[in-house]
């Protein structure tokens, strides 16, 4: 029994005792001899019966009502875990049961709400864009993980502050002001310095309204568009490079053709010289266009390699060595070949030949007369390892990373003389990567260059 019910019990017991005492006080003088004993025993018996009845009433009716009142108070206070005293008697039982059902439902709703809240938080936190929520007075209410990774610092440095005190960037201020002013979506872009690099950020500000269509704040979404910008720049550079590469031979062709037309050249030797130049330049344009088409074919996602099982040792010996040997002989270059016999690989034969010829051609082009080239093909575990080592002009250390870029040539004039377009290694890299292989270069200026290509012997799974 709780203290309050004990007190109630004692009060009722005292009142009953008082009444019985009164009755006894009245009856006792009227009774004689044994009757007195009977009166006393009856009164004591009556008292005990009353005590039992009081106890029963408290237990069945008062306690459940008290418990229901406590439960209702707790529920009102937000504690949905409380449950009422389960009673079995009439309306009181209905009341306790109804309260318990209410408590269970509320608890369920609270759990659901918590789950939904967590889900929403997880979604917001794992978004690929930064998110910030500000209220109608400009105070920051929420920032997500991506936002923090873009702008640095932690949540507590933003939440609770005015947006213009946490951002220095004017374009952000402008977006918020316009989103509030015009009550519509606003876009802008700005840059931020991260570590040593600059990142381009696009910001979209959208006003938030409540059910009565009154402005309640704004959500700001930040997209990192650095990669897109870079791509745009690469495209611009590419177009500029292509135009530039085409301009030189076209200008030259036009110049010599004009000279041939304008001046009445009677000297056949000079005419022939000019025509040869025109022929050479148009040849250059042709190979440039050819390489560009080749690159764009390779870059298409659907670039399909014609995979087949290739007896690579045999193919190299028959179809590559004779061509390269011929070029090497012309420059008196020692061409040393070391190919393990009977090597096999799964790959696209024509593309792999293109790779080897390109690398070997480069070795010949960038090695002086009398130099030497070592060409080795061997197997290491499940890979085919191809190395081409020359003792030619080499590549300056700071330029090594750039030689796979389109149109990049260490020495433009020299490469152009050899008829190079600067696209060869870009194509090579594409093909090697399409085969899931790797290509590495080591080089030292004036002492030589080594290219190492590693290719898986078996066709890798598509999604590897
Ligand atoms: N073996 C090498 N030794 C020294 N420099 C090299 C070697 N291979 C490539 N390079 C450098 O890398 C640059 C890029 O090579 P790449 O093959 O892509 O172009 P290219 O040879 O100039 O023209 P092409 O597209 O006709 O092959 C070359 O211009 C050259 O400067
Ligand atoms: Mg080349």
């Amino acid at each position: 029994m709780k203290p309050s019910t004990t007190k109630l019990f004692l009060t009722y017991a005292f009142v009953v005792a008082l009444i019985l005492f009164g009755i006894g006080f009245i009856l006792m003088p009227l009774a004689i001899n044994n009757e007195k004993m009977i009166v006393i025993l009856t009164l004591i018996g009556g008292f005990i019966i009353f005590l039992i009845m009081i106890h029963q009433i408290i237990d069945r009716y008062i306690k459940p009502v008290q418990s229901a009142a406590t439960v209702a108070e707790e529920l009102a206070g937000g504690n949905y875990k409380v449950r009422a005293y389960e009673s079995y008697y009439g309306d009181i039982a209905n009341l306790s049961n109804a309260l318990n059902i209410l408590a269970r439902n509320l608890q369920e709703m609270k759990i659901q709400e918590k789950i939904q809240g967590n889900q929403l938080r997880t979604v917001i936190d794992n978004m690929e864009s930064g998110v910030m929520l500000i209220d109608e007075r400009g105070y920051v209410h929420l920032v997500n993980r991506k936002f923090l990774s873009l702008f640095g610092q932690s949540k507590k440095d933003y939440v609770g502050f005015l947006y213009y005190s946490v951002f220095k960037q004017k374009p952000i201020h402008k977006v918020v002001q316009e989103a509030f002013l015009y009550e519509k979506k606003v876009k802008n872009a700005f840059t931020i310095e991260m570590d040593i690099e600059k990142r381009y950020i696009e910001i979209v500000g959208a006003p938030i309204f409540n059910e009565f269509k009154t402005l309640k704040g704004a959500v700001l979404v930040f997209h990192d568009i650095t990669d897109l910008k870079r791509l745009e720049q690469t495209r611009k550079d590419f177009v500029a490079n292509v135009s530039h590469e085409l301009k030189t031979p076209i200008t030259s062709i036009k110049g010599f053709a004009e000279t041939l037309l304008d001046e009445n050249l009677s000297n056949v030797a000079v005419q022939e010289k000019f025509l040869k130049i025109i022929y050479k330049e148009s040849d250059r344009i042709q190979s440039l266009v050819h390489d560009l088409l080749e690159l764009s074919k390779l870059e298409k996602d659907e670039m399909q390699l014609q995979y087949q099982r290739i007896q690579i040792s045999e193919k190299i010996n028959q179809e590559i060595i004779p061509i390269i040997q011929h070029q090497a002989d012309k420059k008196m270059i020692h061409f040393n070949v070391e190919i393990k016999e009977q090597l096999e690989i799964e790959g696209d034969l024509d593309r792999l030949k293109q790779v080897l010829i390109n690398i070997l051609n480069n070795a010949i082009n960038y090695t002086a007369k009398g130099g030497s080239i070592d060409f080795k093909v061997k197997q290491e575990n499940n890979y085919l390892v191809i190395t081409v080592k020359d003792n030619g002009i080499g590549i300056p250390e700071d330029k090594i990373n750039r030689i796979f870029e389109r149109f990049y040539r260490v020495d433009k004039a020299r490469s152009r003389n050899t008829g190079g377009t600067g696209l060869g290694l870009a194509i090579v890299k594409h093909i090697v990567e399409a085969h899931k292989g790797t290509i590495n270069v080591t080089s030292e200026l004036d002492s030589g260059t080594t290219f190492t290509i590693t290719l898986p012997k078996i066709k890798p799974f598509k999604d590897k």
Side-chain angles (χ1 to χ4, degrees):
M1 257 195 245
K2 284 201 314 192
S4 59
T5 34
T6 317
K7 216 166 126 190
L8 202 66
F9 179 78
L10 291 177
T11 316
Y12 286 148
F14 178 72
V15 172
V16 170
L18 214 64
I19 292 169
L20 291 179
F21 186 76
I23 294 172
F25 190 73
I26 296 166
L27 290 181
M28 276 309 258
L30 304 176
I32 39 162
N33 304 328
N34 289 347
E35 283 173 5
K36 278 191 183 158
M37 201 59 199
I38 293 168
V39 170
I40 289 172
L41 285 176
T42 313
L43 287 177
I44 290 173
F47 185 62
I48 291 170
I49 290 168
F50 268 118
L51 283 186
I52 292 170
M53 276 171 65
I54 291 167
H55 185 268
Q56 287 287 317
I57 289 168
I58 287 178
D59 212 41
R60 286 183 184 183
Y61 301 101
I62 295 180
K63 254 165 65 181
V65 171
Q66 275 181 341
S67 152
T70 320
V71 168
E73 268 169 31
E74 286 286 321
L75 287 178
N79 174 12
Y80 304 137
K81 282 187 193 146
V82 282
R83 294 291 177 270
Y85 179 82
E86 294 273 355
S87 142
Y88 305 100
Y89 308 104
D91 290 343
I92 296 292
N94 291 342
L95 175 68
S96 315
N97 288 343
L99 266 176
N100 283 347
I101 290 169
L102 177 69
R104 266 194 290 275
N105 287 347
L106 284 172
Q107 193 179 16
E108 182 68 18
M109 271 164 64
K110 194 179 168 187
I111 291 170
Q112 286 300 334
E113 197 185 331
K114 207 168 165 186
I115 292 173
Q116 278 171 7
N118 280 342
Q119 281 171 344
L120 194 66
R121 212 165 306 130
T122 315
V123 170
I124 290 176
D125 252 349
N126 289 293
M127 272 170 73
E128 262 312 293
S129 307
V131 175
M132 175 183 262
L133 194 72
I134 53 179
D135 66 15
E136 71 273 29
R137 291 171 304 146
Y139 284 95
V140 179
H141 279 244
L142 177 149
V143 289
N144 72 348
R145 206 176 296 162
K146 180 72 187 181
F147 174 91
L148 295 174
S149 79
L150 283 175
F151 290 90
Q153 296 184 304
S154 65
K155 252 181 199 170
K156 63 173 174 24
D157 299 304
Y158 296 97
V159 176
F161 290 92
L162 279 165
Y163 76 89
Y164 49 79
S165 66
V166 292
F167 289 124
K168 286 188 287 303
Q169 294 86 348
K170 291 274 178 270
I172 303 181
H173 299 183
K174 206 167 156 229
V175 163
V176 179
Q177 283 154 11
E178 287 183 7
F180 279 153
L181 191 65
Y182 305 124
E183 300 197 348
K184 63 178 178 67
K185 206 161 83 181
V186 188
K187 253 188 201 179
N188 210 332
F190 60 96
T191 55
I192 47 174
E193 304 284 337
M194 265 176 85
D195 303 328
I196 42 162
E197 58 167 353
K198 200 189 238 177
R199 300 209 71 88
Y200 292 85
I201 309 287
E202 184 191 63
I203 168 175
V204 182
I208 309 170
F209 302 98
N210 66 6
E211 65 266 41
F212 310 110
K213 300 256 180 329
T214 34
L215 192 68
K216 290 312 287 174
V219 57
L220 307 179
V221 181
F222 301 85
H223 305 288
D224 187 346
I225 51 165
T226 314
D227 291 344
L228 273 176
K229 279 270 176 200
R230 231 173 251 155
L231 208 68
E232 200 181 298
Q233 193 54 43
T234 316
R235 277 189 206 293
K236 279 185 194 159
D237 290 350
F238 183 66
V239 173
N241 276 327
V242 172
S243 319
H244 181 76
E245 291 298 327
L246 285 170
K247 208 175 109 196
T248 323
I250 288 173
T251 316
S252 159
I253 289 173
K254 199 176 162 213
F256 283 108
E258 268 172 9
T259 321
L260 280 173
L261 286 171
D262 286 354
E263 289 166 25
N264 225 340
L265 281 176
S266 50
N267 190 337
V268 181
V270 177
Q271 275 185 12
E272 200 184 313
K273 189 182 159 202
F274 284 7
L275 284 172
K276 270 189 182 156
I277 296 173
I278 291 177
Y279 179 76
K280 198 178 147 213
E281 294 292 2
S282 49
D283 203 39
R284 222 184 120 61
I285 296 180
Q286 194 185 26
S287 62
L288 189 71
V289 171
H290 170 268
D291 281 358
L292 283 172
L293 284 175
E294 191 71 5
L295 249 187
S296 78
K297 238 193 282 171
L298 290 171
E299 280 189 341
K300 273 193 193 146
D301 280 342
E302 65 268 27
M303 177 191 37
Q304 290 290 332
L305 294 174
Q306 303 295 322
Y307 266 97
Q308 49 173 302
R309 185 171 280 277
I310 310 165
Q311 304 289 335
I312 195 82
S313 314
E314 207 179 296
K315 291 285 178 200
I316 295 176
N317 282 321
Q318 289 169 358
E319 296 174 26
I320 295 177
I321 304 292
I323 307 172
I324 305 298
Q325 187 66 59
H326 178 69
Q327 293 175 0
D329 290 347
K330 277 209 284 192
K331 266 183 100 175
M332 287 172 308
I333 287 174
H334 303 279
F335 184 41
N336 312 310
V337 181
E338 198 180 303
I339 301 173
K340 285 265 168 315
E341 271 173 41
Q342 309 215 308
L343 291 175
E344 282 190 359
I345 185 171
E346 283 176 10
D348 185 324
L349 177 61
D350 288 338
R351 297 288 185 201
L352 291 178
K353 265 167 69 181
Q354 208 178 345
V355 167
L356 295 178
I357 290 176
N358 251 302
I359 299 286
L360 289 164
N361 266 338
N362 277 351
I364 290 183
N365 282 339
Y366 304 107
T367 299
K369 271 190 180 159
S372 73
I373 296 171
D374 297 331
F375 177 40
K376 290 185 188 165
V377 184
K378 59 180 177 180
Q379 183 179 335
E380 264 176 32
N381 301 322
N382 293 325
Y383 291 88
L384 203 72
V385 181
I386 301 161
T387 45
V388 176
K389 180 170 183 237
D390 64 51
N391 64 353
I393 59 169
I395 306 165
E397 205 185 330
D398 57 329
K399 307 277 166 50
I400 292 182
N401 288 340
R402 302 203 55 194
I403 60 169
F404 294 102
E405 285 174 22
R406 297 160 183 185
F407 298 114
Y408 187 80
R409 284 159 296 195
V410 175
D411 179 346
K412 287 217 186 265
R414 180 180 189 135
S415 167
R416 213 170 265 145
N417 284 340
T418 64
T421 58
L423 293 172
L425 286 179
I427 294 175
V428 163
K429 192 162 193 243
H430 260 293
I431 299 176
V432 170
E433 285 177 355
H435 280 86
K436 307 289 175 216
T438 56
I439 177 161
N440 290 305
V441 203
T442 53
S443 186
E444 204 172 310
L445 201 58
D446 297 327
S447 50
T449 306
T450 306
F451 280 86
T452 309
I453 297 172
T454 310
L455 295 164
K457 272 173 63 68
I458 314 254
K459 179 184 176 181
F461 290 115
K462 233 184 161 172
D463 53 357
K464 249 194 191 170

